[in-house]
Structure formats: C-alpha cells, structure tokens
Amino acid sequence: MKIDELKQILKGQKPAPRVFVLWGEEAHLKNYYKKQLIDLLSPDVMEDLNIFRFDGKNYSVSLVDEAIEALPVMSDKKLLLFTDSYIFKPDGRTGAKAEYRDYWTKRLTDIPDYVSIIFDESSVDKRSGLLKQVDKEGACLEFAFMGEEEMVGWTQKLFATMGKTISLQDARYINEITPAGMMAVRREAEKLSAYVGEREEITRTDIERLVIPTIEGKVFDMVGAMLCKNTDAALRLLDDLFKSNTEVHAILPPLIYNADKLMQTKLLMGAGADKSQIMSKLKISPFQASKYMRDCAKYSQSQLKHLVQRLAETDGYLKSHSMSKDVLVSLLVSEFS
C-alpha cells in the first residue's frame, strides 16, 4: 500500500482493512501515521476494555486469542496494538519463534469484522510469507527515508511553518550534519527557531553555533583523513573529540562502522548497485549513501579492508589490555595515517 492510499483511508474515502503492518527507518513519519490510524480505529467508549497492547515477541498467544474472540464492550470495534512482534522475520534467531508465526498464519485468515490490528515493527524481512499474506488481506506500509531533494524541501517547509526561512544550501547542510531522519531535523529546527527569536532568517552561522555535528560525522572525516594519509588532520579531529569529553568507547564503534560502510559501498558499487540499492542494503540515509559513494571511489578495496581489520584488532586489544585507551587509539590513527 502507498501513503496516498493510507491518506484516503484516514479521510474515510476507502474502507480500512483489518490488519496493518508499519515499518521503516523514518520513525517520525511512521509514528505520525500510526497515531492517525489509532485515532481512526479506536473504539469511542470503554478504551481500557477494547484496546489491547502487546510489546515484544514473547506475549501470550492465548491472551491474543481472548482479545480477538471476545465481543467489544459497549462498542462496535476493538483494537490490538503490537510493537516489535518480529513475526515478519522468518529466521527464528532474529525474529519470533516458529510457533508465533504458525499461529498468525492461521489467525490472520480469521479476523472478526469488529477487530483491527496494527503491527509496529522495527524491521521486517520482505521475503516473509506472513508479510505477503498481510499484503493481500491487509495493508503493509514501509516508511523509508526520503530522497535528498525531498528531504531538503521538507526541511525548508518545516522552517516555514515556524515562521522562518532557510536557504537550500543550509537546509541540506543541516541534514548532512544531524542524525538521519525527520525527527532529528525537527529537533534542530525547533532549537534554531527558539535561538534566533524574532529574526526570520536562519543562517549558516546560527547552524554552526547551535547544531552539534554527530560523532559519526566527525569520525567520517577522520576516517577520510586516515585513508588519505593526512596525519595532522586525523589527529586534530581525534583531539577535538577528546576535548569534547568523548570517551574512546564512543569513538571506536563509529570508526569501525564508517570504515565498514565505505568498504561495503565500494563492493556494492563494483557489483553494479545504484544508490537506492545501497541505501536499502546498508540501511543508511540518502545523505550517508551520497557520502560513502563519493568517498569510497578515492580508496582501493585493499586500503579499506586493511583499515577495517586494524580497527577490529584495536577493538579486541582494548578489551584485553590495560594500556591507556586514548593512547592506543591515538597510536592507531597516527600509524595508519
């Protein structure tokens, strides 16, 4: 199902199916439409007796059956809400146990007219037979990251709703230095709008004063400096992180993450993958994908592989030796760059 069809359901222009599955990286959008659906599908009275919530993948199936089979109390409908049931992942290690998936395979074919069900999932496997079953009988909605241009336009409109203006370049800049997603950008927009007060225009100076780039963004620049053999730049960036009281255990994981994503992007591009395929495979935003695609072209596969290996070795060494962690990471950055 596409978002436009969901909007028609919310406006009463189309009947609502019995079952919805919502997932995707864009949590802000997913939460927005989930709230709209809950408002639409909730009973008007006796909510405590007609709305049932199940969190995680170890709920009681018998309680679910009772909730579905029992008639609504003083209402004509009831609502079941599931958060991270993981039934749409066929692998028992990462998803729900087989007995849960077997239960829902049968149960989804027999949902009473008075029952609506919403599954809010952190992730799904699109190969899941259950997901395909819901797609036929209900509604499956993926809330993926917007494209770069779409996100930049949304950011400008967001500031406009707050009575502010921001240039195209600065709207893009905010998206590049903040965590991915609409929720993170909204938080920074609210902070900036409060900061400038009555002034209408948001400037680059305002952003640089108020918006703190993510550790991941700083580390990305440090990885680039290491690979380019720019020792001074790499150590300066590391020193900036230390001066901001960033602990080593918060620096090494994003170092490994960025190096690994660069290498995987290099491999995927070599296999002919386009930007959308890289975003989907690596679970990254369009802004991250653009950076990785641009920068991985500067380095050889062997360079990236060597960096990933050295970072993994350092991570293991940190966990088993008493040497100062700051010194050890500084030595690694200096040695590699």
Side-chain angles (χ1 to χ4, degrees):
M1 176 179 284
K2 298 186 182 298
I3 297 291
D4 287 344
E5 294 177 74
L6 177 59
K7 289 178 179 177
Q8 290 179 317
I9 291 169
L10 293 171
K11 291 176 182 177
Q13 297 170 350
K14 286 185 68 173
R18 299 263 67 82
V19 183
F20 290 85
V21 182
L22 317 177
W23 79 94
E25 300 93 346
E26 191 49 86
H28 177 80
L29 209 57
K30 183 178 72 167
N31 291 339
Y32 171 80
Y33 281 110
K34 179 183 175 181
K35 184 180 182 303
Q36 299 291 310
L37 278 171
I38 290 173
D39 289 344
L40 174 71
L41 302 173
S42 289
D44 297 327
V45 295
M46 306 294 285
E47 289 191 4
D48 289 347
L49 297 175
N50 291 312
I51 297 180
F52 302 85
R53 290 177 169 82
F54 301 90
D55 293 335
K57 55 185 180 181
N58 295 315
Y59 49 85
S60 166
V61 167
S62 61
L63 288 179
V64 174
D65 254 350
E66 288 178 23
I68 291 175
E69 294 296 338
L71 291 170
V73 179
M74 299 179 66
S75 175
D76 60 353
K77 56 185 176 179
K78 59 167 57 176
L79 175 63
L80 278 66
L81 301 169
F82 291 84
T83 303
D84 287 337
S85 72
Y86 290 105
I87 62 169
F88 303 102
K89 301 191 82 172
D91 181 354
R93 291 181 301 104
T94 57
K97 294 178 182 176
E99 54 260 39
Y100 286 91
R101 299 196 304 274
D102 292 342
Y103 165 78
W104 282 107
T105 299
K106 298 172 185 173
R107 182 77 264 188
L108 287 173
T109 62
D110 184 24
I111 303 295
D113 290 343
Y114 54 79
V115 172
S116 295
I117 302 175
I118 299 175
F119 290 96
D120 178 356
E121 303 291 327
S122 295
S123 62
V124 302
D125 186 330
K126 293 182 182 179
R127 298 167 298 179
S128 162
L130 264 178
L131 191 68
K132 293 173 182 176
Q133 185 177 340
V134 173
D135 201 30
K136 290 179 182 177
E137 302 168 11
C140 295
L141 291 124
E142 179 181 9
F143 297 92
F145 286 128
M146 291 183 184
E148 284 186 67
E149 301 310 318
E150 191 180 6
M151 191 66 190
V152 169
W154 177 84
T155 302
Q156 287 188 298
K157 290 176 184 175
L158 174 64
F159 276 101
T161 64
M162 300 175 183
K164 307 298 179 186
T165 61
I166 186 170
S167 70
L168 197 69
Q169 293 80 3
D170 288 343
R172 179 178 295 278
Y173 179 62
I174 286 179
N175 278 281
E176 289 174 345
I177 65 172
T178 56
M182 300 165 79
M183 198 174 294
V185 173
R186 177 178 284 277
R187 282 196 297 267
E188 298 302 337
E190 290 170 348
K191 191 163 59 174
L192 282 161
S193 295
Y195 171 75
V196 302
E198 296 298 317
R199 177 157 51 88
E200 184 178 324
E201 184 185 10
I202 303 291
T203 67
R204 178 65 65 97
T205 302
D206 297 326
I207 298 168
E208 290 174 344
R209 282 178 180 167
L210 214 64
V211 180
I212 301 172
T214 62
I215 292 175
E216 287 78 8
K218 293 179 180 178
V219 167
F220 181 88
D221 293 337
M222 188 162 67
V223 168
M226 291 167 69
L227 287 164
C228 289
K229 306 300 180 184
N230 189 338
T231 309
D232 289 343
L235 289 174
R236 185 172 61 252
L237 287 162
L238 180 62
D239 190 50
D240 288 345
L241 288 168
F242 286 152
K243 285 178 179 176
S244 64
N245 296 318
T246 306
E247 298 289 341
V248 169
H249 65 75
I251 296 173
L252 201 54
L255 261 176
I256 296 170
Y257 174 90
N258 275 282
D260 181 62
K261 287 291 186 285
L262 275 168
M263 186 174 72
Q264 290 190 58
T265 302
K266 182 87 173 176
L267 293 171
L268 287 167
M269 289 180 70
D274 61 19
K275 183 176 176 180
S276 63
Q277 290 170 320
I278 290 169
M279 286 170 58
S280 175
K281 185 76 174 176
L282 302 185
K283 306 296 181 188
I284 55 177
S285 76
F287 296 95
Q288 289 173 304
S290 289
K291 284 199 299 184
Y292 290 132
M293 292 174 75
R294 180 184 66 239
D295 278 36
C296 78
K298 302 175 186 176
Y299 319 117
S300 69
Q301 187 176 318
S302 60
Q303 276 181 295
L304 295 169
K305 184 178 179 180
H306 180 50
L307 177 57
V308 171
Q309 288 175 337
R310 287 292 292 114
L311 288 169
E313 289 166 5
T314 302
D315 187 40
Y317 197 86
L318 281 173
K319 293 169 182 174
S320 58
H321 291 74
S322 58
M323 179 188 284
S324 166
K325 293 177 172 56
D326 291 11
V327 171
L328 189 59
V329 172
S330 297
L331 285 172
L332 167 70
V333 172
S334 179
E335 171 228 318
F336 198 91
S337 59

